[in-house]
Amino acid sequence: MADRVISLTPTTALFLWHGVMRRALREEHPDLTARQFALLLQVFLTPPPHTVRGLAADLAMSKPAVTRALDRLGRLDLVRRKRDKDDRRSILVQRTVKGSVYLREFGDLAAKVAKDLP
Amino acid sequence: MADRVISLTPTTALFLWHGVMRRALREEHPDLTARQFALLLQVFLTPPPHTVRGLAADLAMSKPAVTRALDRLGRLDLVRRKRDKDDRRSILVQRTVKGSVYLREFGDLAAKVAKDLP
DNA sequence: AAGATCCGTTTCGCTTGCGAAACGAATGCG
DNA sequence: CGCATTCGTTTCGCAAGCGAAACGGATCTT
């Protein structure tokens, strides 16, 4: 990967988080829980396929919790469920354009905050 | 401030957030809501005094929400309430050692994740 | 001193999230 | 073909968070 954090000290990380969360709260970024957000990132930043049980294992959460998080993210159209044709018990969690836009905006926000850091 | 993020691109920020949240979930870091965490950072990273009203304005949340967040953070001993002697209607939110430790650990986690980024 | 104002908290009704357990449907196995 | 296993979901009871409004106590104003 070409882009890289050259140096992020613990203190700077705290200021970064502070700036980002503060601004995210103000902008009414539909406030996802930590788990919902982690799930969204997992789907977009790691290679498919993404199943419910796989996500549950990856993020150390229960399957019902994953189902509910998918309900919420699906309602927001940030991810989409699709049945696996090869094993119709499984569902494949897929990315959506809206989810991609949402994360790009978040990344932009974080980058901007980082640039203006004390 | 001496330490500084040299370059944090939007994409790198996403990977950074992903790594941190993923690990924070696993470690049972008492899972604070976004507002609770933002409040904690606000108290520790900006200069006192911190009143309920001021915090509510800073973080764009209602006063009852601040009260509840302080209840939670206080139970965890991450911050402490203290009545203002000069205006006994107000309370001053103060930092605790445990809160300081908690945030230092979080900062360390983030710095470590940043270092091992793809 | 009396009323208005400001502070943080509490109450109210509601929404959302949680894990354990049970569930139907699909697949694997003997 | 049965029967067990695995998939994601649903149900259950419960805990926690939310905003609006009302509240008591402290302070300010006149």
Side-chain angles (χ1 to χ4, degrees), chain A residues 1 3-18 20-22 25-26 34-35 37-38 41-42 45-46 57-60 103 106-108 110-111 114 117-118, chain B residues 1 3-18 20-22 25-26 34-35 37-38 41-42 45-46 57-60 103 106-108 110-111 114 117-118:
Chain A
M1 182 145 301
D3 53 339
R4 185 176 292 270
V5 174
I6 299 298
S7 163
L8 182 67
T9 68
T11 299
T12 304
L14 292 178
F15 278 94
L16 176 61
W17 243 260
H18 178 231
V20 169
M21 300 205 64
R22 209 166 119 67
L25 283 185
R26 292 203 163 277
R35 289 167 146 190
F37 194 58
L41 287 168
Q42 184 77 17
L45 299 184
T46 66
D58 291 336
L59 302 173
L103 285 184
F106 182 86
D108 288 345
L117 230 44
Chain B
M1 179 144 306
D3 52 340
R4 186 176 291 272
V5 173
I6 300 298
S7 163
L8 181 67
T9 66
T11 299
T12 303
L14 292 179
F15 278 93
L16 176 61
W17 243 259
H18 178 232
V20 170
M21 301 204 64
R22 206 166 121 68
L25 283 185
R26 293 203 162 276
R35 288 168 147 190
F37 193 58
L41 287 168
Q42 184 77 17
L45 299 184
T46 66
D58 290 337
L59 302 174
L103 285 184
F106 182 85
D108 288 345
L117 229 44

Coordinates of all heavy atoms in Angstrom, one line a residue, chain A residues 1 3-18 20-22 25-26 34-35 37-38 41-42 45-46 57-60 103 106-108 110-111 114 117-118, chain B residues 1 3-18 20-22 25-26 34-35 37-38 41-42 45-46 57-60 103 106-108 110-111 114 117-118:
Chain A
M1 N 0.8 -1.2 0.0 CA 0.0 0.0 0.0 C 0.9 1.3 0.0 O 1.8 1.4 0.8 CB -0.9 0.0 1.2 CG -1.8 1.2 1.3 SD -3.3 0.8 2.0 CE -3.9 -0.5 0.9
D3 N 0.1 4.6 0.6 CA 0.0 5.6 1.7 C 0.3 5.0 3.0 O 0.1 3.8 3.3 CB -1.4 6.3 1.7 CG -2.5 5.2 1.7 OD1 -2.2 4.0 1.3 OD2 -3.6 5.5 2.1
R4 N 0.8 5.8 3.9 CA 1.3 5.2 5.1 C 1.4 6.3 6.2 O 1.7 7.5 6.0 CB 2.7 4.7 4.8 CG 3.4 4.0 5.9 CD 4.7 3.5 5.4 NE 4.5 2.4 4.4 CZ 4.4 1.2 4.7 NH1 4.5 0.8 5.9 NH2 4.3 0.3 3.8
V5 N 1.1 5.9 7.5 CA 1.3 6.8 8.6 C 2.8 6.8 8.9 O 3.4 5.7 9.3 CB 0.5 6.3 9.8 CG1 0.9 7.2 11.0 CG2 -0.9 6.4 9.5
I6 N 3.5 7.9 8.9 CA 4.9 7.9 9.1 C 5.1 7.8 10.6 O 6.0 7.0 11.1 CB 5.5 9.2 8.6 CG1 5.3 9.4 7.1 CG2 7.0 9.3 9.0 CD1 6.0 8.3 6.3
S7 N 4.4 8.5 11.4 CA 4.6 8.5 12.8 C 3.4 8.9 13.5 O 2.9 10.0 13.4 CB 5.8 9.5 13.2 OG 5.7 9.8 14.5
L8 N 2.8 8.0 14.3 CA 1.6 8.3 15.1 C 1.9 8.0 16.5 O 1.9 6.8 16.9 CB 0.4 7.6 14.6 CG -0.9 7.9 15.3 CD1 -1.4 9.3 15.0 CD2 -2.0 6.9 14.9
T9 N 2.2 9.0 17.3 CA 2.4 8.7 18.7 C 1.1 8.5 19.5 O 0.1 8.9 19.0 CB 3.2 9.9 19.4 OG1 2.3 11.0 19.5 CG2 4.4 10.3 18.6
P10 N 1.1 7.9 20.6 CA -0.1 7.7 21.4 C -0.8 9.0 21.7 O -2.1 9.1 21.5 CB 0.4 7.1 22.7 CG 1.7 6.4 22.3 CD 2.3 7.2 21.3
T11 N -0.1 10.0 22.1 CA -0.8 11.3 22.3 C -1.5 11.9 21.1 O -2.6 12.3 21.2 CB 0.2 12.3 22.9 OG1 0.8 11.8 24.1 CG2 -0.5 13.6 23.2
T12 N -0.8 11.8 20.0 CA -1.3 12.3 18.8 C -2.6 11.5 18.4 O -3.6 12.1 17.9 CB -0.3 12.3 17.6 OG1 0.8 13.0 18.0 CG2 -0.9 12.9 16.4
A13 N -2.5 10.2 18.6 CA -3.7 9.4 18.3 C -4.9 9.9 19.1 O -6.0 9.9 18.6 CB -3.4 7.9 18.6
L14 N -4.7 10.2 20.4 CA -5.8 10.7 21.2 C -6.4 12.0 20.6 O -7.6 12.1 20.5 CB -5.4 10.9 22.6 CG -5.0 9.6 23.4 CD1 -4.5 9.9 24.8 CD2 -6.2 8.6 23.4
F15 N -5.6 12.9 20.2 CA -6.1 14.1 19.7 C -6.8 13.9 18.4 O -7.8 14.5 18.1 CB -4.9 15.1 19.5 CG -4.5 15.9 20.7 CD1 -3.5 15.4 21.6 CD2 -5.2 17.0 21.1 CE1 -3.2 16.1 22.7 CE2 -4.9 17.7 22.3 CZ -3.9 17.2 23.1
L16 N -6.2 12.9 17.6 CA -6.9 12.6 16.3 C -8.3 12.0 16.6 O -9.3 12.5 16.0 CB -6.0 11.6 15.6 CG -6.6 11.0 14.3 CD1 -6.8 12.1 13.3 CD2 -5.7 9.9 13.7
W17 N -8.4 11.1 17.5 CA -9.7 10.5 17.8 C -10.6 11.6 18.3 O -11.8 11.6 17.9 CB -9.5 9.4 18.9 CG -9.9 8.0 18.3 CD1 -11.1 7.4 18.5 CD2 -9.1 7.2 17.5 NE1 -11.1 6.2 17.9 CE2 -9.9 6.0 17.2 CE3 -7.9 7.3 16.9 CZ2 -9.4 5.0 16.4 CZ3 -7.4 6.3 16.1 CH2 -8.2 5.2 15.9
H18 N -10.1 12.4 19.2 CA -11.0 13.4 19.8 C -11.5 14.3 18.7 O -12.8 14.6 18.6 CB -10.1 14.3 20.7 CG -10.9 15.4 21.3 ND1 -10.4 16.7 21.4 CD2 -12.1 15.5 22.0 CE1 -11.2 17.5 22.0 NE2 -12.3 16.8 22.3
V20 N -11.9 13.8 15.5 CA -12.8 13.1 14.6 C -14.1 12.8 15.2 O -15.2 13.1 14.6 CB -12.2 11.7 14.1 CG1 -13.2 10.9 13.4 CG2 -11.0 12.0 13.2
M21 N -14.1 12.3 16.4 CA -15.4 12.0 17.1 C -16.2 13.2 17.4 O -17.4 13.2 17.2 CB -15.1 11.2 18.4 CG -14.4 9.9 18.1 SD -14.6 8.7 19.4 CE -16.4 8.4 19.2
R22 N -15.5 14.3 17.8 CA -16.2 15.5 18.0 C -16.9 16.0 16.8 O -18.1 16.4 16.8 CB -15.1 16.5 18.4 CG -15.6 17.6 19.3 CD -14.4 18.4 19.9 NE -14.4 19.8 19.5 CZ -15.2 20.7 20.0 NH1 -16.2 20.3 20.8 NH2 -15.2 21.9 19.6
L25 N -19.8 13.6 15.7 CA -21.1 13.8 16.5 C -21.8 15.0 16.0 O -23.1 15.0 15.9 CB -20.7 14.0 18.0 CG -20.3 12.8 18.8 CD1 -20.1 13.2 20.2 CD2 -21.4 11.7 18.7
R26 N -21.1 16.1 15.7 CA -21.8 17.3 15.2 C -22.5 17.1 13.9 O -23.6 17.7 13.7 CB -20.8 18.4 15.1 CG -20.2 18.9 16.4 CD -19.7 20.3 16.3 NE -19.5 20.9 17.6 CZ -20.5 21.4 18.3 NH1 -21.7 21.5 17.8 NH2 -20.2 21.9 19.5
A34 N -20.1 1.1 18.0 CA -18.7 0.6 17.7 C -18.8 -0.7 16.9 O -18.0 -0.8 15.9 CB -17.9 0.4 19.0
R35 N -19.6 -1.6 17.3 CA -19.7 -2.8 16.6 C -20.2 -2.7 15.2 O -19.7 -3.3 14.3 CB -20.6 -3.8 17.4 CG -20.0 -4.3 18.6 CD -21.0 -4.9 19.5 NE -20.4 -6.0 20.3 CZ -21.1 -6.9 21.0 NH1 -22.4 -6.8 21.0 NH2 -20.5 -7.8 21.6
F37 N -19.9 -0.1 13.3 CA -18.9 0.6 12.5 C -17.8 -0.4 12.2 O -17.3 -0.5 11.1 CB -18.4 1.8 13.2 CG -17.6 2.7 12.4 CD1 -18.1 3.3 11.2 CD2 -16.3 3.0 12.7 CE1 -17.3 4.1 10.4 CE2 -15.5 3.8 11.9 CZ -16.0 4.4 10.8
A38 N -17.4 -1.2 13.2 CA -16.3 -2.2 13.0 C -16.7 -3.2 11.9 O -15.9 -3.6 11.0 CB -16.0 -2.9 14.3
L41 N -16.5 -1.6 8.5 CA -15.1 -1.5 8.0 C -14.6 -2.9 7.6 O -13.9 -3.1 6.6 CB -14.2 -1.0 9.2 CG -14.4 0.5 9.4 CD1 -13.7 0.9 10.7 CD2 -13.8 1.3 8.2
Q42 N -15.0 -3.9 8.4 CA -14.5 -5.3 8.1 C -15.0 -5.7 6.7 O -14.2 -6.3 5.9 CB -15.1 -6.2 9.1 CG -14.6 -7.7 9.0 CD -13.2 -7.9 9.5 OE1 -12.7 -7.1 10.2 NE2 -12.6 -9.0 9.1
L45 N -13.0 -3.5 4.0 CA -11.5 -3.5 4.0 C -10.9 -4.8 4.0 O -9.7 -4.9 3.9 CB -11.0 -2.7 5.2 CG -11.4 -1.2 5.3 CD1 -10.8 -0.5 6.5 CD2 -11.1 -0.5 4.0
T46 N -11.7 -5.9 4.1 CA -11.1 -7.2 4.0 C -11.8 -7.9 2.8 O -12.9 -7.6 2.5 CB -11.2 -8.0 5.3 OG1 -12.6 -8.3 5.5 CG2 -10.6 -7.3 6.5
A57 N -16.9 -14.3 14.1 CA -15.6 -14.7 14.6 C -14.6 -13.6 14.5 O -13.8 -13.4 15.4 CB -15.2 -15.9 13.8
D58 N -14.6 -12.9 13.3 CA -13.6 -11.9 13.1 C -13.7 -10.8 14.2 O -12.7 -10.2 14.6 CB -13.8 -11.2 11.7 CG -13.5 -12.2 10.6 OD1 -12.7 -13.1 10.8 OD2 -14.0 -12.0 9.5
L59 N -14.9 -10.4 14.5 CA -15.1 -9.3 15.4 C -15.5 -9.7 16.9 O -15.8 -8.8 17.7 CB -16.2 -8.4 14.9 CG -15.9 -7.9 13.4 CD1 -17.0 -7.1 12.9 CD2 -14.6 -7.0 13.5
A60 N -15.4 -11.0 17.1 CA -15.6 -11.5 18.5 C -17.0 -11.0 19.0 O -17.1 -10.5 20.1 CB -14.6 -11.0 19.4
L103 N -17.9 5.7 3.9 CA -16.6 5.4 4.4 C -15.5 6.4 3.8 O -14.6 6.9 4.5 CB -16.1 4.0 4.2 CG -16.8 3.0 5.1 CD1 -16.2 1.6 4.8 CD2 -16.6 3.4 6.6
F106 N -15.9 9.5 5.7 CA -15.3 9.4 7.1 C -13.7 9.5 7.0 O -13.1 10.2 7.8 CB -15.7 8.1 7.7 CG -15.1 7.9 9.1 CD1 -15.8 8.4 10.2 CD2 -13.9 7.2 9.3 CE1 -15.2 8.3 11.5 CE2 -13.4 7.1 10.5 CZ -14.0 7.6 11.6
G107 N -13.2 8.8 6.0 CA -11.7 8.9 5.8 C -11.3 10.3 5.5 O -10.2 10.7 6.0
D108 N -12.0 11.0 4.7 CA -11.7 12.4 4.4 C -11.7 13.2 5.6 O -10.8 14.0 5.9 CB -12.7 12.9 3.4 CG -12.5 12.4 2.0 OD1 -11.4 11.8 1.7 OD2 -13.4 12.6 1.1
A110 N -11.2 12.2 8.7 CA -10.1 11.9 9.6 C -8.8 12.5 9.0 O -8.0 13.0 9.8 CB -9.9 10.4 9.7
A111 N -8.6 12.4 7.7 CA -7.4 13.0 7.1 C -7.4 14.5 7.3 O -6.3 15.1 7.6 CB -7.4 12.7 5.6
A114 N -6.5 15.2 10.9 CA -5.0 14.9 11.1 C -4.2 16.1 10.6 O -3.2 16.4 11.2 CB -4.7 13.6 10.4
L117 N -4.0 19.1 13.0 CA -3.7 18.7 14.4 C -2.8 19.7 15.0 O -1.9 20.3 14.4 CB -3.1 17.3 14.4 CG -3.7 16.3 15.4 CD1 -5.3 16.4 15.4 CD2 -3.3 14.9 15.1
P118 N -2.9 19.9 16.3 CA -2.1 20.9 17.1 C -0.6 20.7 16.9 O -0.1 19.6 16.9 CB -2.5 20.6 18.6 CG -3.1 19.2 18.6 CD -3.8 19.1 17.2
Chain B
M1 N 3.1 21.4 19.8 CA 3.2 19.9 20.1 C 4.3 19.2 19.3 O 4.3 19.4 18.1 CB 1.9 19.2 19.9 CG 1.9 17.8 20.2 SD 0.3 17.3 20.9 CE 0.1 18.4 22.3
D3 N 5.0 15.9 18.7 CA 4.6 14.7 17.9 C 3.6 15.1 16.9 O 2.7 16.0 17.1 CB 4.1 13.5 18.7 CG 3.0 14.0 19.7 OD1 2.9 15.2 19.9 OD2 2.3 13.1 20.1
R4 N 3.6 14.4 15.7 CA 2.8 14.9 14.6 C 2.5 13.8 13.6 O 3.4 13.0 13.4 CB 3.5 16.0 14.0 CG 2.7 16.8 12.9 CD 3.6 17.9 12.4 NE 3.7 18.9 13.5 CZ 2.8 19.9 13.6 NH1 1.8 20.0 12.8 NH2 3.0 20.8 14.5
V5 N 1.3 13.7 13.0 CA 1.1 12.8 11.9 C 1.6 13.5 10.7 O 1.2 14.6 10.3 CB -0.4 12.6 11.8 CG1 -0.7 11.8 10.5 CG2 -1.0 11.9 13.0
I6 N 2.6 12.8 10.1 CA 3.2 13.4 8.9 C 2.2 13.3 7.7 O 2.0 14.3 7.0 CB 4.5 12.6 8.5 CG1 5.5 12.7 9.7 CG2 5.1 13.2 7.3 CD1 5.9 14.1 10.0
S7 N 1.6 12.2 7.5 CA 0.7 12.0 6.4 C -0.3 11.0 6.7 O 0.0 9.8 6.9 CB 1.5 11.6 5.2 OG 0.7 11.1 4.2
L8 N -1.6 11.3 6.7 CA -2.6 10.4 7.0 C -3.6 10.5 5.9 O -4.4 11.4 5.9 CB -3.3 10.6 8.3 CG -4.4 9.6 8.7 CD1 -3.8 8.2 8.9 CD2 -5.1 10.1 10.0
T9 N -3.6 9.6 4.9 CA -4.5 9.7 3.8 C -5.9 9.1 4.3 O -5.9 8.4 5.3 CB -4.1 8.9 2.6 OG1 -4.0 7.5 3.0 CG2 -2.7 9.3 2.2
P10 N -6.9 9.4 3.6 CA -8.3 8.9 4.0 C -8.3 7.4 4.0 O -8.8 6.8 5.0 CB -9.2 9.4 2.8 CG -8.5 10.7 2.4 CD -7.0 10.4 2.5
T11 N -7.7 6.7 3.1 CA -7.7 5.3 3.1 C -6.9 4.7 4.3 O -7.4 3.8 4.9 CB -7.0 4.7 1.8 OG1 -7.8 5.2 0.7 CG2 -7.0 3.2 1.8
T12 N -5.8 5.3 4.6 CA -5.0 4.9 5.7 C -5.8 5.0 7.0 O -5.7 4.2 7.9 CB -3.7 5.6 5.8 OG1 -2.9 5.4 4.6 CG2 -2.8 5.1 6.9
A13 N -6.5 6.2 7.1 CA -7.3 6.4 8.3 C -8.3 5.3 8.5 O -8.5 4.8 9.6 CB -8.0 7.8 8.1
L14 N -8.9 4.8 7.4 CA -9.9 3.8 7.5 C -9.2 2.5 8.0 O -9.8 1.8 8.9 CB -10.6 3.5 6.1 CG -11.5 4.6 5.6 CD1 -12.0 4.2 4.3 CD2 -12.6 4.9 6.6
F15 N -8.1 2.2 7.5 CA -7.4 1.0 8.0 C -7.0 1.1 9.5 O -7.1 0.2 10.2 CB -6.2 0.7 7.1 CG -6.5 -0.1 5.9 CD1 -6.7 0.6 4.7 CD2 -6.6 -1.4 5.9 CE1 -7.1 -0.1 3.5 CE2 -6.9 -2.1 4.7 CZ -7.2 -1.4 3.5
L16 N -6.6 2.3 9.8 CA -6.2 2.6 11.2 C -7.4 2.4 12.1 O -7.4 1.7 13.1 CB -5.7 4.0 11.3 CG -5.4 4.5 12.7 CD1 -4.3 3.6 13.3 CD2 -4.9 6.0 12.7
W17 N -8.6 3.0 11.7 CA -9.8 2.8 12.5 C -10.2 1.4 12.6 O -10.5 0.9 13.7 CB -10.9 3.6 11.9 CG -11.4 4.7 12.9 CD1 -12.5 4.7 13.7 CD2 -10.8 6.0 13.1 NE1 -12.6 5.9 14.4 CE2 -11.5 6.7 14.0 CE3 -9.6 6.6 12.6 CZ2 -11.2 8.0 14.5 CZ3 -9.3 7.9 13.0 CH2 -10.1 8.5 14.0
H18 N -10.1 0.7 11.5 CA -10.5 -0.7 11.5 C -9.6 -1.5 12.5 O -10.2 -2.3 13.3 CB -10.3 -1.3 10.1 CG -10.6 -2.7 9.9 ND1 -9.8 -3.6 9.3 CD2 -11.7 -3.4 10.3 CE1 -10.3 -4.8 9.4 NE2 -11.5 -4.8 10.0
V20 N -7.9 -0.5 15.0 CA -8.1 -0.2 16.4 C -9.4 -0.7 17.0 O -9.4 -1.3 18.1 CB -8.0 1.4 16.6 CG1 -8.4 1.8 18.0 CG2 -6.6 1.9 16.3
M21 N -10.5 -0.5 16.2 CA -11.8 -0.9 16.7 C -11.8 -2.5 16.8 O -12.4 -3.0 17.8 CB -12.9 -0.4 15.8 CG -12.8 1.1 15.7 SD -14.4 1.8 15.2 CE -15.4 1.3 16.6
R22 N -11.2 -3.1 15.9 CA -11.2 -4.6 15.9 C -10.5 -5.1 17.2 O -11.1 -5.9 17.9 CB -10.4 -5.0 14.7 CG -10.8 -6.4 14.2 CD -10.2 -6.6 12.8 NE -9.2 -7.7 12.7 CZ -9.6 -9.0 12.9 NH1 -10.9 -9.3 13.1 NH2 -8.7 -9.9 12.8
L25 N -12.5 -4.1 20.4 CA -13.6 -5.0 20.7 C -13.2 -6.3 21.3 O -13.8 -6.8 22.3 CB -14.3 -5.3 19.4 CG -15.3 -4.3 18.8 CD1 -16.0 -4.8 17.6 CD2 -16.3 -3.8 19.9
R26 N -12.1 -6.8 20.8 CA -11.6 -8.1 21.4 C -11.1 -8.0 22.8 O -11.3 -9.0 23.6 CB -10.4 -8.6 20.5 CG -10.7 -9.0 19.1 CD -9.7 -9.9 18.5 NE -10.3 -10.6 17.4 CZ -11.1 -11.7 17.5 NH1 -11.3 -12.2 18.6 NH2 -11.6 -12.2 16.4
A34 N -20.0 6.1 21.6 CA -19.3 7.2 20.9 C -19.3 8.5 21.8 O -18.3 9.1 22.0 CB -19.8 7.5 19.5
R35 N -20.5 8.8 22.3 CA -20.6 10.0 23.1 C -19.8 9.9 24.4 O -19.2 10.9 24.8 CB -22.1 10.2 23.4 CG -22.8 10.7 22.2 CD -24.3 10.6 22.4 NE -25.0 11.7 21.7 CZ -26.3 12.0 21.9 NH1 -27.0 11.4 22.8 NH2 -26.8 13.0 21.2
F37 N -17.2 8.2 25.0 CA -15.7 8.3 24.7 C -15.3 9.7 24.3 O -14.3 10.2 24.7 CB -15.4 7.3 23.5 CG -13.9 7.1 23.3 CD1 -13.1 6.6 24.4 CD2 -13.3 7.3 22.1 CE1 -11.8 6.4 24.2 CE2 -12.0 7.1 22.0 CZ -11.2 6.6 23.0
A38 N -16.2 10.3 23.5 CA -15.9 11.7 23.1 C -15.8 12.6 24.3 O -15.0 13.5 24.4 CB -16.9 12.2 22.1
L41 N -12.6 12.1 26.2 CA -11.5 12.7 25.5 C -11.5 14.2 25.7 O -10.5 14.9 26.0 CB -11.5 12.4 24.0 CG -11.1 11.0 23.6 CD1 -11.4 10.7 22.2 CD2 -9.6 10.8 23.8
Q42 N -12.7 14.8 25.7 CA -12.9 16.2 25.9 C -12.4 16.6 27.2 O -11.7 17.7 27.4 CB -14.4 16.6 25.7 CG -14.7 18.1 25.8 CD -14.4 18.8 24.5 OE1 -14.2 18.2 23.5 NE2 -14.2 20.1 24.6
L45 N -8.4 16.2 27.2 CA -7.6 16.8 26.2 C -7.8 18.3 26.1 O -7.1 19.0 25.3 CB -7.8 16.2 24.8 CG -7.4 14.7 24.8 CD1 -7.6 14.2 23.4 CD2 -6.0 14.5 25.3
T46 N -8.8 18.8 26.8 CA -9.0 20.3 26.7 C -8.9 20.8 28.1 O -9.2 20.1 29.1 CB -10.4 20.7 26.1 OG1 -11.4 20.2 26.9 CG2 -10.5 20.0 24.7
A57 N -22.5 21.7 25.3 CA -22.4 22.6 24.1 C -21.2 22.1 23.2 O -21.3 22.0 22.0 CB -22.2 24.0 24.6
D58 N -20.1 21.7 23.9 CA -18.9 21.3 23.1 C -19.2 20.1 22.2 O -18.7 20.0 21.1 CB -17.8 20.9 24.1 CG -17.2 22.1 24.8 OD1 -17.4 23.3 24.3 OD2 -16.7 21.9 25.9
L59 N -20.0 19.2 22.7 CA -20.2 17.9 22.0 C -21.6 17.8 21.4 O -21.9 16.8 20.9 CB -20.0 16.8 23.0 CG -18.6 16.8 23.6 CD1 -18.5 15.7 24.7 CD2 -17.5 16.5 22.6
A60 N -22.3 18.9 21.4 CA -23.6 18.9 20.7 C -24.5 17.8 21.3 O -25.1 17.1 20.5 CB -23.4 18.8 19.2
L103 N -6.9 6.1 28.8 CA -6.6 6.8 27.6 C -5.2 6.5 27.1 O -4.9 6.4 25.9 CB -6.8 8.3 27.7 CG -8.3 8.7 27.8 CD1 -8.5 10.2 27.8 CD2 -9.0 8.1 26.5
F106 N -5.2 3.3 25.4 CA -5.9 3.4 24.1 C -4.9 4.1 23.0 O -4.8 3.6 21.9 CB -7.2 4.3 24.2 CG -7.9 4.4 22.9 CD1 -8.8 3.4 22.5 CD2 -7.7 5.5 22.0 CE1 -9.4 3.5 21.2 CE2 -8.3 5.6 20.8 CZ -9.2 4.6 20.4
G107 N -4.3 5.1 23.5 CA -3.3 5.8 22.6 C -2.2 4.8 22.1 O -1.8 4.8 21.0
D108 N -1.7 4.0 23.1 CA -0.7 3.0 22.8 C -1.2 2.0 21.7 O -0.5 1.7 20.8 CB -0.3 2.3 24.0 CG 0.6 3.2 25.0 OD1 1.0 4.2 24.5 OD2 0.7 2.8 26.2
A110 N -3.5 2.5 19.5 CA -3.6 3.1 18.2 C -2.3 3.3 17.6 O -2.1 3.1 16.4 CB -4.3 4.5 18.3
A111 N -1.3 3.7 18.4 CA 0.1 3.9 17.8 C 0.6 2.6 17.3 O 1.3 2.5 16.3 CB 1.0 4.5 18.9
A114 N -1.0 1.6 14.1 CA -0.5 2.5 13.0 C 0.8 2.0 12.5 O 1.1 2.0 11.3 CB -0.4 3.9 13.5
L117 N 0.7 -1.0 10.1 CA -0.3 -0.9 9.1 C 0.2 -1.4 7.8 O 1.4 -1.4 7.5 CB -0.6 0.6 8.9 CG -2.1 1.0 8.9 CD1 -2.9 0.2 9.9 CD2 -2.3 2.5 9.0
P118 N -0.7 -1.9 6.9 CA -0.3 -2.6 5.6 C 0.6 -1.7 4.8 O 0.4 -0.5 4.7 CB -1.6 -2.8 4.9 CG -2.6 -1.9 5.6 CD -2.1 -1.8 7.0

